[in-house]
Amino acid sequence: MQPESPRLCIFPSTHEHLQASLALSTTGQVEWVAAGMPRAQHPASVLARIAAGERPQLHLYPDRSVDPEDAPIPALRSGTLMFLPALEALLVSRYHYCAEVWTGAGMVQLTHASFEQVLQLLARHLEDCEQLGERWLARSLQFQRLQTFRLRVVNTEIRRFRSAALYAYAHDQRPLDQRLRSVLEQADGIVQLNRSEACVG
Amino acid sequence: MRWLNVLWHAAVGRTLGGWKRRSLRIEHWLQVVMPNTEAEAVSTACAQSGVCIGAFYRWYWDKARVARLLNRVGSDEVLRQLGKVDATDYSGLDALIGQEQPLIVAMPHHGHYILSILGLVGRLRRQRGVMVFYARPSARPGNAMFDAGFQASSWSGPDSGVQVLHDDRSGLSNALRGLRQGKSLIIMPDVANSAEHTYLVPFAGYAFNAMLGTAALARKTNARIVAAVSRVTGRGLGFRTCFAPVPDGGVVSADAHAIELADYAMTCRLFNVLERMMPDLYRWQFVREHYISRLQLPRLVPDQLAELAAAFLDSSRARLHAARAIPLT
């Protein structure tokens, strides 16, 4: 007899859902996973434990996973390019979790699904969260999934790296050498490529 | 009546200056209501200067007075009054004006910078002419006051020796032309239209987003950069503009990256000089953002660069262009 699949539930960040997950997590019945919430677990730490063989029951809030570390998967839906988290898709497609996902039409169950199929449902989940209006507490975070925002973030990071490289020379009044030139050229190239052909579908 | 007004302003200034703790009421009245993070930043800056938050309120009150004066009374009247509050020793600047090299005066938004700029314009216009470079009022509404002030004063017109330039393409090309003709330029190096075009330079404990424009203008025109900081003297609207030349970096080759390094190094030197001239950082317009962002510039060594570039610039995080989106229906 096959052991029962571990279960995960995906909820929108509303006051009611968060309260319920918090209550269940304090009694040890589920593990509450939500990026950026002080009493919840961070998605990356959960994935590491599951990869090591643990199979806890999970309450997941992927609507809070918006930054580049937590949402690295580019996906194109209705002409909009956004970045989605990988955790949920990995748990179902690789670790055989059974998923129950909140949508506007109720909870949808997903088992034995591919990585893409989970992303598909995740995108629908996020789209349906919009229907919650002000009740959706993670609404204001969603712009961080968009390509335009990601480009700005990357360019800021490259600019910071470029400044630090220049400062390594300016501080000691060193002349330009091949080491610095190579880094500056590399940074120029990436900024240009990102600008011209970012995220082709 | 005028004396009564002066006395009243002085009394309010003294009262505000002695205020020990944060007051939302005062902030409402001064129209500078700050979120807690900003108030903490101001308190930190005040503590570093050994003063209470009241000193910041006092400065804000005085700044508002300057703005009201410029808006209310005719600009020429303001210019006449300027001599009474300007305690600047211009002898150091006069020596530089006398030299062949064109002059770029880099003045941050500190102290009574508006009065200091007016004082400088009055001084420099009589020599070889002066250009004042700042953001277009449509981008920074506060600058409308400058535009109106210059237009209303006897400093407007082609013979005045004063030219107002805005930070757009035509302003830049006029600045280059004017400097090559030997005019002086007053520029504010601590502001940028967009952070995307800035570099991080060390300044007052953290990294600051600075444009390389001042350095580039100096390089292209062989101009000398002089840092100028407006210091408050503490008597009414009294101010003293302090000057310090920024060390030159020498000849730069035509290579684009060598130019970038030279302009960056010059900007670092400029901000290093400015930092030493601004002990009262709470009187700096951008102290709140600076102390909240707490940006740090990592200290790297040249031998690390290749390794770090491989770790960061080659990562999928940086190479967004290499990402292939999964199509969803």
Side-chain angles (χ1 to χ4, degrees):
Chain A
M1 194 174 133
Q2 277 211 327
E4 197 180 326
S5 290
R7 196 164 140 262
L8 67 85
C9 295
I10 292 177
F11 294 121
S13 290
T14 64
H15 188 68
E16 299 79 22
H17 283 111
L18 291 168
Q19 283 291 332
S21 294
L22 172 64
L24 288 171
S25 71
T26 50
T27 59
Q29 295 174 63
V30 299
E31 294 199 4
W32 173 32
V33 185
M37 298 212 76
R39 295 171 73 177
Q41 295 199 53
H42 195 273
S45 67
V46 171
L47 186 61
R49 285 174 40 223
I50 286 163
E54 291 183 36
R55 292 292 181 269
Q57 307 291 320
L58 300 168
H59 277 196
L60 299 162
Y61 289 81
D63 57 357
R64 309 194 75 89
S65 296
V66 289
D67 67 25
E69 281 80 24
D70 298 327
I73 310 295
L76 194 64
R77 183 174 161 98
S78 311
T80 303
L81 203 140
M82 58 183 161
F83 288 80
L84 296 174
L87 175 68
E88 295 75 12
L90 281 173
L91 292 178
V92 174
S93 64
R94 187 182 293 175
Y95 298 106
H96 311 297
Y97 263 79
C98 167
E100 283 184 47
V101 182
W102 180 94
T103 68
M107 297 300 281
V108 172
Q109 212 173 59
L110 198 63
T111 45
H112 308 298
S114 68
F115 192 88
E116 284 77 10
Q117 282 171 318
V118 184
L119 285 186
Q120 191 88 40
L121 188 54
L122 204 55
R124 183 182 154 197
H125 160 78
L126 291 171
E127 208 170 87
D128 287 1
C129 285
E130 287 286 354
Q131 297 169 12
L132 294 166
E134 295 301 309
R135 287 173 57 216
W136 187 27
L137 303 175
R139 189 180 196 179
S140 63
L141 305 176
Q142 303 309 309
F143 72 95
Q144 295 178 51
R145 294 188 194 285
L146 300 179
Q147 184 192 24
T148 44
F149 179 77
R150 288 292 174 93
L151 268 176
R152 255 204 325 270
V153 170
V154 166
N155 285 340
T156 301
E157 286 170 353
I158 292 175
R159 194 168 53 78
R160 188 166 179 229
F161 181 70
R162 189 184 196 96
S163 301
L166 287 165
Y167 187 59
Y169 283 72
H171 182 260
D172 299 328
Q173 297 177 11
R174 288 174 199 266
L176 177 78
D177 63 16
Q178 193 46 43
R179 292 171 297 185
L180 179 60
R181 185 190 299 281
S182 151
V183 164
L184 295 177
E185 281 171 359
Q186 211 178 334
D188 284 341
I190 291 169
V191 169
Q192 212 158 0
L193 281 168
N194 278 348
R195 197 178 293 143
S196 59
E197 50 179 294
C199 301
V200 179
Chain B
M1 278 305 281
R2 178 179 281 186
W3 277 110
L4 206 60
N5 199 24
V6 169
L7 286 173
W8 183 74
H9 276 106
V12 173
R14 272 197 306 277
T15 309
L16 287 173
W19 213 266
K20 300 275 185 263
R21 299 167 88 173
R22 188 182 178 201
S23 162
L24 285 174
R25 213 177 237 187
I26 290 177
E27 289 174 19
H28 267 290
W29 184 61
L30 292 173
Q31 296 180 339
V32 61
V33 178
M34 300 179 280
N36 286 342
T37 48
E38 288 189 15
E40 279 163 24
V42 169
S43 296
T44 304
C46 287
Q48 283 170 350
S49 297
V51 295
C52 299
I53 196 164
F56 173 79
Y57 292 150
R58 161 78 193 266
W59 173 60
Y60 233 86
W61 164 248
D62 287 341
K63 260 172 32 122
R65 279 179 69 194
V66 171
R68 277 198 300 273
L69 270 173
L70 286 179
N71 281 328
R72 202 174 56 209
V73 296
S75 293
D76 282 338
E77 169 63 16
V78 174
L79 300 181
R80 270 192 292 278
Q81 297 293 327
L82 197 63
K84 295 180 184 167
V85 286
D86 187 354
T88 304
D89 172 8
Y90 287 100
S91 58
L93 185 73
D94 287 342
L96 289 167
I97 298 170
Q99 293 175 9
E100 189 81 3
Q101 244 182 327
L103 201 65
I104 295 179
V105 180
M107 175 173 287
H109 294 69
H110 180 275
H112 291 323
Y113 56 91
I114 295 175
L115 297 177
S116 281
I117 287 176
L118 292 176
L120 270 169
V121 168
R123 199 81 182 182
L124 293 167
R125 78 187 185 99
R126 289 199 292 265
Q127 311 293 330
R128 287 173 293 186
V130 61
M131 302 171 287
V132 192
F133 191 92
Y134 53 82
R136 192 171 283 284
S138 55
R140 282 186 179 262
N143 287 353
M145 182 173 65
F146 273 125
D147 271 9
F150 281 117
Q151 275 160 21
S153 75
S154 53
W155 289 354
S156 67
D159 301 327
S160 64
V162 182
Q163 193 179 359
V164 170
L165 304 176
H166 291 135
D167 66 343
D168 50 25
R169 195 179 286 265
S170 108
L172 269 174
S173 73
N174 283 331
L176 283 170
R177 193 179 309 126
L179 283 166
R180 284 180 181 133
Q181 290 166 354
K183 291 180 184 171
S184 300
L185 175 72
I186 299 172
I187 196 166
M188 310 191 82
D190 56 342
V191 71
N193 271 344
S194 152
E196 281 176 49
H197 301 117
T198 60
Y199 289 70
L200 293 172
V201 296
F203 179 69
Y206 301 106
F208 179 71
N209 287 312
M211 301 280 283
L212 305 191
T214 306
L217 282 168
R219 171 178 45 78
K220 287 177 180 172
T221 60
N222 190 33
R224 181 95 191 254
I225 300 179
V226 173
V229 170
S230 179
R231 305 276 295 270
V232 175
T233 60
R235 289 175 59 86
L237 293 178
F239 69 94
R240 178 182 294 116
T241 313
C242 302
F243 305 100
V246 180
D248 195 359
V251 182
V252 185
S253 77
D255 174 274
H257 288 127
I259 287 173
E260 184 182 9
L261 175 59
D263 287 353
Y264 178 80
M266 174 53 109
T267 307
C268 286
R269 287 196 295 277
L270 167 61
F271 275 85
N272 182 260
V273 171
L274 287 174
E275 181 181 328
R276 283 186 271 125
M277 296 168 77
M278 293 163 64
D280 298 332
L281 214 62
Y282 68 91
R283 290 191 180 120
W284 179 41
Q285 184 88 16
F286 305 112
V287 70
R288 286 174 271 174
E289 295 92 321
H290 192 60
Y291 275 18
I292 289 169
S293 74
R294 293 177 183 269
L295 276 172
Q296 290 292 346
L297 186 62
R299 275 304 303 273
L300 309 180
V301 292
D303 284 337
Q304 284 179 306
L305 289 183
E307 195 183 332
L308 289 167
F312 171 57
L313 294 177
D314 288 341
S315 69
S316 58
R317 181 190 174 101
R319 291 182 172 271
L320 272 182
H321 64 275
R324 292 290 174 266
I326 296 173
L328 304 177
T329 53

